[in-house]
Amino acid sequence: MISFFEANLKQLSIHHTGNKLVEEYYKLSDAPLKIDDEILGNLLMQYFLKPFEKVNEVYRFYHPNDNLNLNEVFHFVHEIFENNELFHEDSQQLAKHLYDVANHPKIKSGELYVAYFEKVQIEGEQLDVVGIFKSETKDTYLKVYPEQDGFNMSYEQDAISINKLDKGCLIFNVDQEQGYKVVVLDQAKSNNESAVYWKDEFLKLKIRNDSYNQTHNVLGVYKNFVTQKLDDEYEISKADKIDLLNRSMKYFKEKETFDIEEFGNEVIGNAEGIESFKNYKKNYEAEYESPIADHFEIAESAVKKQARAYKSVLKLDKNFHIYIHGNKDMIEKGYDDDKSMNFYKVYFREEE
């Protein structure tokens, strides 16, 4: 969805932010970085932009008071888009803001990069972009080089790998009144305080409620409903659960639009189960403040991503795995009294 084959890096400012709770400080640079080396420029483009090539979720800036101008990052980025001469000054303000919201002792210090790109493409549209990135992880690198009749070796400590962007976001200069289009990346685990402060405290983002996210969310809700909620209400075998998941994935792969009534009738198939799923969906919407429409266009990219999380395998002790891809009537579960063990009987026509 995001490509940068025609993009160029126009400006870059680098600052350092620490963690005030452990008495670290921030250090601001006086001027933007001058990039005269073409190879360095290309490496920076790869470091900053390549990790976003497979990112699909699009976010918006928001503020709890519904006043976007109270969102600090939105405010400073908007100033940059309106007046590029304020780029470095506003990059300093972004570094100070990041420092102010680092309110957990486990948040790591690191370099903050604020970049201005031209001609970055999202959803088929080339746009100017402000990128905000943070590097926290440092590595040691070995370098081998020829010397006289052989080779010698040196090393460099506390260096940054261009293949390991810790945190970043790209803010596209479009839909300003709605909070811009924003894509975000964070290598920290989602329940990590470091991840929370980057997306929720520093950037203050909410998911854009488009077809991709509607598709992604309803597939995720249905998967949790089948794998977790059904056990509370019904006695259902793992084979039946896998069949329900397979049928839902088949629905999303074959249909162009989602309709909750049609989905319930074709996939779940009984009134009590349909009503239970609708209630589960409503509870999710209320808990996460993320409404899911009853009718929307299905996004193929979201289906492909969720398909990787849909498991169609029965794991039997440590001896067997049974993969169920089609008709669940071809497999039967039973219990052998003599051996005091469960068993599955599998029907097939040809052995391949």
Side-chain angles (χ1 to χ4, degrees), residues 164-186:
K164 293 181 182 179
L165 180 63
D166 291 301
K167 290 175 168 57
C169 74
L170 300 178
I171 302 141
F172 292 81
N173 191 12
V174 67
D175 299 341
Q176 175 248 321
E177 292 183 357
Q178 288 80 45
Y180 294 120
K181 289 181 181 179
V182 185
V183 292
V184 65
L185 182 79
D186 195 335

Side-chain angles (χ1 to χ4, degrees), residues 52-105:
F52 291 92
E53 285 183 320
K54 296 183 179 181
V55 173
N56 291 297
E57 293 92 339
V58 177
Y59 291 81
R60 306 282 198 193
F61 287 117
Y62 85 102
H63 192 273
N65 292 337
D66 295 325
N67 184 346
L68 270 174
N69 287 314
L70 296 178
N71 181 309
E72 291 86 345
V73 178
F74 173 88
H75 172 76
F76 296 126
V77 169
H78 178 57
E79 281 195 348
I80 292 171
F81 283 137
E82 292 294 307
N83 183 0
N84 202 247
E85 292 183 0
L86 296 174
F87 172 80
H88 185 72
E89 179 183 330
D90 282 328
S91 76
Q92 293 175 325
Q93 296 302 320
L94 288 167
K96 292 178 183 178
H97 173 52
L98 181 64
Y99 179 78
D100 286 338
V101 299
N103 292 319
H104 192 279

Side-chain angles (χ1 to χ4, degrees), residues 15 32 71 91 107 111 175 236 238 248 258 261 279 302 307 325:
H15 311 288
N71 181 309
S91 76
I107 293 173
E111 288 74 37
D175 299 341
I236 183 169
K238 288 187 177 180
S248 68
F258 170 84
E261 299 298 335
N279 290 333
H325 299 297

Side-chain angles (χ1 to χ4, degrees), residues 16-26 99 107-109:
H16 182 90
T17 61
N19 186 324
K20 60 184 175 183
L21 293 186
V22 293
E23 297 185 349
E24 296 173 342
Y25 301 96
Y26 61 81
Y99 179 78
I107 293 173
K108 297 177 181 178
S109 63

